Amino acid sequence: METKLEVTEILKRYSADIDKEINRALETVDPETLLQASEHLVKAGGKKLRPSLAVLSAEAVGGQVKSALKTGAAVELIHTFSLIHDDIMDQDEKRRGKPSVHVIWGEPMAILAGDTLFSKAFASVMQSEDDGVTPELILPALHTVVDSCVKICEGQAMDMGFTERMDVSEEEYLIMIYKKTAALIAAATKAGAILGGGSPEQVEALAEYGRLIGLAFQIQDDYLDVASSEEDLGKPVGSDIVEGKMTLLVVHALSQASEEDKKRLHTILKEEGDENVSEAVAILEKYGSIEYAWKVARENVNQAKELLIDTLDDSSSRDALLLIADFVLERSN
């Protein structure tokens, strides 16, 4: 609980400046309807974890906060773009406690809003020169951000393909969540380190730190779906099972289970409704899959922290990055 409060304070520290950069990036969007649709999820809140990681990474290598603010805003714009398009694909009607963009403005306008955020993100990175960042640093930072966008699309396509399969390997699953979730977090930490003037070793360490906590973040989501409470999650326990998702827990159980249990779990994942969620959870427990997922997430967080300790000087920003790594596992939703 203490870690969560500390991390909340860390994220608040940069939130106003990041919001200012996001507003600046979107202020010229026209017509008004497109602006409203583009701003909707940004104004609905969110932890601003990714942009804060960009700024903290710049500080942790000895750079200035302002050098990474516009790229931090860009990362948040890309994250929001991906959420709008995900909601369209999944037909989800709510996001951050509010109606999804496509529910209010319709799918065509929601697609345009996502495309607008996507485009404005790159413009925001390039405008870092206004804050005294040299083009020699902006170009590799921009390349890092662009590459993460391609990976997000690849990861989403892999995830969609997994719903038709029951033979997904753990290696395939980890590649998918790296691309879909961890790549943007790694881009935030890597780009921040680049813009802060970090050494090649520091840049690589922060990129790997981002990748590892990004993987842990998604695996923890998988874990919480069956190990948390509906009150903490804000949605029914076992919703991933109801939706037939390939999570690390399911992938592990299918690789370990008897033929009978494998077939039963397969059947439950394919059927509609939540009547047999508890039976599926019992199968996951039988093969130690819930505990296994938590262990993998913990190993990733420990590796991420070791990297920072080995390559960065002691500082308040490094301490903040270490706290965020712990927060990934200690959160309940």
Side-chain angles (χ1 to χ4, degrees):
M1 189 66 177
E2 191 176 328
T3 300
K4 185 175 181 180
L5 288 171
E6 288 179 279
V7 169
T8 301
E9 287 305 310
I10 290 164
L11 301 182
K12 276 184 188 173
R13 195 186 305 163
Y14 307 104
S15 188
D17 286 334
I18 290 162
D19 283 342
K20 199 180 295 179
E21 293 297 344
I22 290 172
N23 292 336
R24 186 175 293 152
L26 298 178
E27 65 186 358
T28 58
V29 173
D30 190 58
E32 183 68 22
T33 308
L34 179 59
L35 175 62
Q36 289 173 354
S38 301
E39 288 180 330
H40 177 66
L41 277 189
V42 175
K43 289 183 172 179
K47 297 183 186 77
K48 303 286 194 305
L49 176 67
R50 292 159 188 80
S52 296
L53 284 169
V55 175
L56 285 167
S57 297
E59 277 193 298
V61 299
Q64 299 294 313
V65 167
K66 68 176 185 178
S67 66
L69 277 174
K70 287 182 170 60
T71 296
V75 169
E76 187 67 11
L77 291 171
I78 290 164
H79 177 55
T80 310
F81 132 77
S82 71
L83 297 180
I84 292 173
H85 283 195
D86 278 358
D87 287 344
I88 295 169
M89 284 184 270
D90 298 339
Q91 287 299 297
D92 286 338
E93 296 189 356
K94 283 203 164 184
R95 172 73 67 172
R96 293 174 178 165
K98 296 184 182 297
S100 301
V101 175
H102 69 91
V103 170
I104 300 174
W105 287 279
E107 286 188 13
M109 186 60 73
I111 292 168
L112 289 174
D115 292 347
T116 300
L117 295 171
F118 183 75
S119 305
K120 287 292 186 180
F122 303 127
S124 186
V125 177
M126 291 187 285
Q127 285 160 5
S128 298
E129 200 168 359
D130 297 345
D131 295 326
V133 185
T134 64
E136 289 76 19
L137 295 179
I138 293 171
L139 188 59
L142 180 63
H143 181 272
T144 299
V145 173
V146 170
D147 183 59
S148 73
C149 292
V150 178
K151 286 186 168 65
I152 289 169
C153 296
E154 291 173 345
Q156 177 69 5
M158 287 180 74
D159 195 19
M160 289 163 62
F162 286 175
T163 59
E164 302 302 318
R165 294 173 50 195
M166 282 292 137
D167 61 345
V168 176
S169 69
E170 183 173 329
E171 182 183 10
E172 285 180 296
Y173 172 80
L174 292 174
I175 290 170
M176 183 274 287
I177 64 167
Y178 161 60
K179 290 184 171 186
K180 186 176 177 181
T181 302
L184 187 59
I185 294 174
T189 52
K190 182 178 181 179
I194 291 168
L195 294 164
S199 68
E201 184 189 17
Q202 289 173 327
V203 170
E204 189 52 44
L206 277 157
E208 182 64 1
Y209 160 87
R211 185 185 78 85
L212 288 165
I213 68 164
L215 291 175
F217 191 96
Q218 183 56 58
I219 294 167
Q220 181 71 353
D221 271 359
D222 294 354
Y223 169 81
L224 289 173
D225 184 67
V226 298
S228 191
S229 66
E230 184 169 339
E231 185 181 356
D232 283 336
L233 282 175
K235 61 179 181 178
V237 173
S239 61
D240 285 348
I241 294 168
V242 175
E243 292 169 26
K245 285 187 178 178
M246 277 289 119
T247 65
L248 182 59
L249 290 75
V250 169
V251 169
H252 179 266
L254 288 172
S255 73
Q256 302 294 314
S258 67
E259 204 56 42
E260 183 183 350
D261 285 341
K262 196 182 293 186
K263 282 180 181 174
R264 183 59 187 144
L265 183 55
H266 188 179
T267 300
I268 294 169
L269 289 166
K270 288 294 179 187
E271 64 190 15
E272 293 184 7
D274 59 0
E275 294 84 1
N276 296 308
V277 165
S278 58
E279 186 184 349
V281 172
I283 293 171
L284 299 179
E285 286 175 339
K286 180 178 178 180
Y287 294 98
S289 301
I290 299 173
E291 186 182 343
Y292 176 77
W294 193 88
K295 182 184 164 194
V296 172
R298 167 50 69 191
E299 285 171 357
N300 283 342
V301 164
N302 288 342
Q303 284 180 44
K305 290 169 70 175
E306 283 170 20
L307 272 171
L308 296 191
I309 292 165
D310 289 344
T311 55
L312 299 179
D313 293 335
D314 189 10
S315 67
S316 61
S317 47
R318 188 188 78 169
D319 289 344
L321 290 169
L322 292 169
L323 273 172
I324 288 171
D326 285 329
F327 164 74
V328 165
L329 283 190
E330 291 181 20
R331 65 199 175 91
S332 56
N333 58 27

PDB file of all heavy atoms in Angstrom, residues 290-305:
ATOM      1  N   ILE A 290      -1.399 -20.361 -11.684  1.00  0.00           N
ATOM      2  CA  ILE A 290      -1.595 -19.026 -11.104  1.00  0.00           C
ATOM      3  C   ILE A 290      -0.308 -18.592 -10.395  1.00  0.00           C
ATOM      4  O   ILE A 290       0.205 -17.482 -10.615  1.00  0.00           O
ATOM      5  CB  ILE A 290      -2.800 -19.009 -10.148  1.00  0.00           C
ATOM      6  CG1 ILE A 290      -4.085 -19.377 -10.916  1.00  0.00           C
ATOM      7  CG2 ILE A 290      -2.942 -17.646  -9.478  1.00  0.00           C
ATOM      8  CD1 ILE A 290      -5.316 -19.567 -10.045  1.00  0.00           C
ATOM      9  N   GLU A 291       0.227 -19.481  -9.589  1.00  0.00           N
ATOM     10  CA  GLU A 291       1.483 -19.195  -8.878  1.00  0.00           C
ATOM     11  C   GLU A 291       2.633 -19.015  -9.871  1.00  0.00           C
ATOM     12  O   GLU A 291       3.510 -18.165  -9.684  1.00  0.00           O
ATOM     13  CB  GLU A 291       1.788 -20.350  -7.925  1.00  0.00           C
ATOM     14  CG  GLU A 291       2.987 -20.102  -7.025  1.00  0.00           C
ATOM     15  CD  GLU A 291       3.285 -21.292  -6.127  1.00  0.00           C
ATOM     16  OE1 GLU A 291       2.396 -22.160  -5.959  1.00  0.00           O
ATOM     17  OE2 GLU A 291       4.412 -21.353  -5.615  1.00  0.00           O
ATOM     18  N   TYR A 292       2.630 -19.805 -10.937  1.00  0.00           N
ATOM     19  CA  TYR A 292       3.697 -19.728 -11.950  1.00  0.00           C
ATOM     20  C   TYR A 292       3.724 -18.348 -12.600  1.00  0.00           C
ATOM     21  O   TYR A 292       4.800 -17.757 -12.777  1.00  0.00           O
ATOM     22  CB  TYR A 292       3.478 -20.802 -13.021  1.00  0.00           C
ATOM     23  CG  TYR A 292       4.477 -20.735 -14.148  1.00  0.00           C
ATOM     24  CD1 TYR A 292       5.777 -21.207 -13.980  1.00  0.00           C
ATOM     25  CD2 TYR A 292       4.127 -20.180 -15.388  1.00  0.00           C
ATOM     26  CE1 TYR A 292       6.707 -21.140 -15.014  1.00  0.00           C
ATOM     27  CE2 TYR A 292       5.054 -20.102 -16.420  1.00  0.00           C
ATOM     28  CZ  TYR A 292       6.337 -20.585 -16.227  1.00  0.00           C
ATOM     29  OH  TYR A 292       7.259 -20.502 -17.250  1.00  0.00           O
ATOM     30  N   ALA A 293       2.554 -17.818 -12.947  1.00  0.00           N
ATOM     31  CA  ALA A 293       2.482 -16.498 -13.584  1.00  0.00           C
ATOM     32  C   ALA A 293       3.053 -15.420 -12.670  1.00  0.00           C
ATOM     33  O   ALA A 293       3.816 -14.548 -13.111  1.00  0.00           O
ATOM     34  CB  ALA A 293       1.037 -16.171 -13.960  1.00  0.00           C
ATOM     35  N   TRP A 294       2.683 -15.476 -11.390  1.00  0.00           N
ATOM     36  CA  TRP A 294       3.197 -14.484 -10.437  1.00  0.00           C
ATOM     37  C   TRP A 294       4.716 -14.579 -10.322  1.00  0.00           C
ATOM     38  O   TRP A 294       5.419 -13.580 -10.257  1.00  0.00           O
ATOM     39  CB  TRP A 294       2.549 -14.686  -9.070  1.00  0.00           C
ATOM     40  CG  TRP A 294       2.813 -13.522  -8.159  1.00  0.00           C
ATOM     41  CD1 TRP A 294       2.073 -12.392  -8.038  1.00  0.00           C
ATOM     42  CD2 TRP A 294       3.919 -13.377  -7.262  1.00  0.00           C
ATOM     43  NE1 TRP A 294       2.639 -11.533  -7.123  1.00  0.00           N
ATOM     44  CE2 TRP A 294       3.776 -12.106  -6.633  1.00  0.00           C
ATOM     45  CE3 TRP A 294       5.014 -14.165  -6.922  1.00  0.00           C
ATOM     46  CZ2 TRP A 294       4.687 -11.636  -5.684  1.00  0.00           C
ATOM     47  CZ3 TRP A 294       5.928 -13.699  -5.981  1.00  0.00           C
ATOM     48  CH2 TRP A 294       5.756 -12.445  -5.373  1.00  0.00           C
ATOM     49  N   LYS A 295       5.228 -15.806 -10.320  1.00  0.00           N
ATOM     50  CA  LYS A 295       6.679 -16.030 -10.202  1.00  0.00           C
ATOM     51  C   LYS A 295       7.414 -15.435 -11.402  1.00  0.00           C
ATOM     52  O   LYS A 295       8.465 -14.796 -11.252  1.00  0.00           O
ATOM     53  CB  LYS A 295       6.942 -17.539 -10.103  1.00  0.00           C
ATOM     54  CG  LYS A 295       8.410 -17.904  -9.924  1.00  0.00           C
ATOM     55  CD  LYS A 295       8.572 -19.416  -9.927  1.00  0.00           C
ATOM     56  CE  LYS A 295      10.033 -19.790 -10.139  1.00  0.00           C
ATOM     57  NZ  LYS A 295      10.207 -21.201 -10.468  1.00  0.00           N
ATOM     58  N   VAL A 296       6.874 -15.620 -12.605  1.00  0.00           N
ATOM     59  CA  VAL A 296       7.502 -15.064 -13.814  1.00  0.00           C
ATOM     60  C   VAL A 296       7.511 -13.539 -13.748  1.00  0.00           C
ATOM     61  O   VAL A 296       8.514 -12.892 -14.060  1.00  0.00           O
ATOM     62  CB  VAL A 296       6.778 -15.548 -15.094  1.00  0.00           C
ATOM     63  CG1 VAL A 296       7.304 -14.818 -16.329  1.00  0.00           C
ATOM     64  CG2 VAL A 296       6.946 -17.051 -15.266  1.00  0.00           C
ATOM     65  N   ALA A 297       6.388 -12.962 -13.337  1.00  0.00           N
ATOM     66  CA  ALA A 297       6.310 -11.500 -13.213  1.00  0.00           C
ATOM     67  C   ALA A 297       7.333 -10.994 -12.196  1.00  0.00           C
ATOM     68  O   ALA A 297       8.031 -10.001 -12.432  1.00  0.00           O
ATOM     69  CB  ALA A 297       4.895 -11.083 -12.809  1.00  0.00           C
ATOM     70  N   ARG A 298       7.444 -11.669 -11.049  1.00  0.00           N
ATOM     71  CA  ARG A 298       8.398 -11.279 -10.013  1.00  0.00           C
ATOM     72  C   ARG A 298       9.843 -11.355 -10.532  1.00  0.00           C
ATOM     73  O   ARG A 298      10.655 -10.469 -10.277  1.00  0.00           O
ATOM     74  CB  ARG A 298       8.207 -12.168  -8.778  1.00  0.00           C
ATOM     75  CG  ARG A 298       9.304 -12.119  -7.718  1.00  0.00           C
ATOM     76  CD  ARG A 298       9.686 -10.728  -7.279  1.00  0.00           C
ATOM     77  NE  ARG A 298       8.651 -10.057  -6.526  1.00  0.00           N
ATOM     78  CZ  ARG A 298       8.685  -8.763  -6.232  1.00  0.00           C
ATOM     79  NH1 ARG A 298       9.685  -8.010  -6.662  1.00  0.00           N
ATOM     80  NH2 ARG A 298       7.713  -8.191  -5.558  1.00  0.00           N
ATOM     81  N   GLU A 299      10.172 -12.406 -11.271  1.00  0.00           N
ATOM     82  CA  GLU A 299      11.530 -12.545 -11.825  1.00  0.00           C
ATOM     83  C   GLU A 299      11.859 -11.384 -12.765  1.00  0.00           C
ATOM     84  O   GLU A 299      12.972 -10.850 -12.749  1.00  0.00           O
ATOM     85  CB  GLU A 299      11.661 -13.884 -12.564  1.00  0.00           C
ATOM     86  CG  GLU A 299      11.769 -15.084 -11.627  1.00  0.00           C
ATOM     87  CD  GLU A 299      11.684 -16.410 -12.356  1.00  0.00           C
ATOM     88  OE1 GLU A 299      11.480 -16.406 -13.597  1.00  0.00           O
ATOM     89  OE2 GLU A 299      11.821 -17.454 -11.692  1.00  0.00           O
ATOM     90  N   ASN A 300      10.886 -10.989 -13.577  1.00  0.00           N
ATOM     91  CA  ASN A 300      11.104  -9.872 -14.501  1.00  0.00           C
ATOM     92  C   ASN A 300      11.360  -8.567 -13.745  1.00  0.00           C
ATOM     93  O   ASN A 300      12.239  -7.785 -14.112  1.00  0.00           O
ATOM     94  CB  ASN A 300       9.899  -9.711 -15.435  1.00  0.00           C
ATOM     95  CG  ASN A 300       9.866 -10.738 -16.536  1.00  0.00           C
ATOM     96  OD1 ASN A 300      10.873 -11.375 -16.830  1.00  0.00           O
ATOM     97  ND2 ASN A 300       8.717 -10.919 -17.148  1.00  0.00           N
ATOM     98  N   VAL A 301      10.581  -8.328 -12.696  1.00  0.00           N
ATOM     99  CA  VAL A 301      10.749  -7.111 -11.899  1.00  0.00           C
ATOM    100  C   VAL A 301      12.115  -7.100 -11.213  1.00  0.00           C
ATOM    101  O   VAL A 301      12.809  -6.070 -11.200  1.00  0.00           O
ATOM    102  CB  VAL A 301       9.606  -6.977 -10.871  1.00  0.00           C
ATOM    103  CG1 VAL A 301       9.945  -5.952  -9.788  1.00  0.00           C
ATOM    104  CG2 VAL A 301       8.314  -6.589 -11.583  1.00  0.00           C
ATOM    105  N   ASN A 302      12.516  -8.233 -10.669  1.00  0.00           N
ATOM    106  CA  ASN A 302      13.827  -8.314 -10.005  1.00  0.00           C
ATOM    107  C   ASN A 302      14.968  -8.036 -10.978  1.00  0.00           C
ATOM    108  O   ASN A 302      15.917  -7.311 -10.654  1.00  0.00           O
ATOM    109  CB  ASN A 302      14.019  -9.689  -9.353  1.00  0.00           C
ATOM    110  CG  ASN A 302      13.160  -9.868  -8.113  1.00  0.00           C
ATOM    111  OD1 ASN A 302      12.670  -8.891  -7.547  1.00  0.00           O
ATOM    112  ND2 ASN A 302      12.958 -11.107  -7.692  1.00  0.00           N
ATOM    113  N   GLN A 303      14.872  -8.598 -12.187  1.00  0.00           N
ATOM    114  CA  GLN A 303      15.895  -8.344 -13.212  1.00  0.00           C
ATOM    115  C   GLN A 303      15.943  -6.868 -13.584  1.00  0.00           C
ATOM    116  O   GLN A 303      17.020  -6.290 -13.761  1.00  0.00           O
ATOM    117  CB  GLN A 303      15.594  -9.168 -14.465  1.00  0.00           C
ATOM    118  CG  GLN A 303      15.936 -10.639 -14.357  1.00  0.00           C
ATOM    119  CD  GLN A 303      15.591 -11.368 -15.657  1.00  0.00           C
ATOM    120  OE1 GLN A 303      15.867 -10.895 -16.755  1.00  0.00           O
ATOM    121  NE2 GLN A 303      14.950 -12.516 -15.531  1.00  0.00           N
ATOM    122  N   ALA A 304      14.765  -6.262 -13.724  1.00  0.00           N
ATOM    123  CA  ALA A 304      14.678  -4.847 -14.095  1.00  0.00           C
ATOM    124  C   ALA A 304      15.368  -3.973 -13.047  1.00  0.00           C
ATOM    125  O   ALA A 304      16.122  -3.048 -13.369  1.00  0.00           O
ATOM    126  CB  ALA A 304      13.215  -4.434 -14.259  1.00  0.00           C
ATOM    127  N   LYS A 305      15.127  -4.274 -11.776  1.00  0.00           N
ATOM    128  CA  LYS A 305      15.719  -3.488 -10.687  1.00  0.00           C
ATOM    129  C   LYS A 305      17.241  -3.665 -10.636  1.00  0.00           C
ATOM    130  O   LYS A 305      17.984  -2.700 -10.422  1.00  0.00           O
ATOM    131  CB  LYS A 305      15.075  -3.892  -9.353  1.00  0.00           C
ATOM    132  CG  LYS A 305      13.615  -3.449  -9.231  1.00  0.00           C
ATOM    133  CD  LYS A 305      12.928  -4.069  -8.037  1.00  0.00           C
ATOM    134  CE  LYS A 305      13.458  -3.509  -6.731  1.00  0.00           C
ATOM    135  NZ  LYS A 305      12.691  -4.047  -5.581  1.00  0.00           N
TER     136      LYS A 305
END
